[in-house]
Every structure is written in structure tokens, then in C-alpha cells.
């Protein structure tokens, strides 16, 4: 069962269960945040394209116009 596999993995890695859990959680969180960032990037790129923003210069012009 999964609990036994978890204990075996901890033994093979010479880590206690708490340390293994913390490392697994941090690795999962890092991957989750990367995926979330990529999704936001896609969304932002689509919005920028709709507004005709293709270069960093275009974005700067828009930012300074709004101020």
C-alpha cells in the first residue's frame, strides 16, 4: 500500500518521513507555481496581442499613458 511505499522510499533516501514529506511538498509546490506562471504568461500574451502590444516598447508606452 501507499504508506508502505512511502516508508520504503524514506528508508532508501535515508530521510525521516517528515523531511521526505517536506521535500516532496516543496517540489510539488514549485512545479505547481511554474504551471500557474506559464498559464498566466499565456493569458497575458493573448491579451497583449489583442491590444496590439508586440514589443517591450509597446508595453512601456501603454504603462506610461495610463499614469
Amino acid at each position: 500500500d501507499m504508506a508502505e511505499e512511502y516508508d520504503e522510499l524514506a528508508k532508501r533516501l535515508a530521510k525521516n518521513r517528515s523531511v521526505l514529506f517536506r521535500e516532496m511538498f516543496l517540489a510539488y509546490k514549485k512545479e505547481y507555481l511554474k504551471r500557474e506562471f506559464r498559464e498566466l504568461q499565456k493569458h497575458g500574451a493573448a491579451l497583449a496581442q489583442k491590444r496590439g502590444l508586440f514589443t517591450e516598447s509597446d508595453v512601456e508606452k501603454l504603462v506610461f499613458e495610463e499614469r
Side-chain angles (χ1 to χ4, degrees):
D1 101 297
M2 193 178 293
E4 291 170 354
E5 288 183 51
Y6 183 82
D7 287 338
E8 182 58 37
L9 181 60
K11 284 179 188 174
R12 275 190 275 145
L13 296 173
K15 297 177 188 277
N16 68 40
R17 297 177 86 208
S18 178
V19 169
L20 179 58
F21 179 81
R22 185 171 30 257
E23 289 178 358
M24 291 169 65
F25 174 77
L26 291 174
Y28 177 83
K29 182 179 172 184
K30 181 179 178 181
E31 289 305 310
Y32 173 81
L33 291 173
K34 281 182 186 178
R35 281 193 309 270
E36 188 175 41
F37 177 75
R38 281 189 224 110
E39 289 300 315
L40 289 171
Q41 233 177 357
K42 284 183 197 176
H43 180 69
L47 288 176
Q49 192 171 21
K50 284 180 185 176
R51 288 187 168 209
L53 305 171
F54 297 103
T55 66
E56 196 164 323
S57 177
D58 294 337
V59 173
E60 288 174 1
K61 286 176 191 171
L62 178 66
V63 168
F64 290 114
E65 286 175 3
E66 296 293 324
R67 289 185 176 185

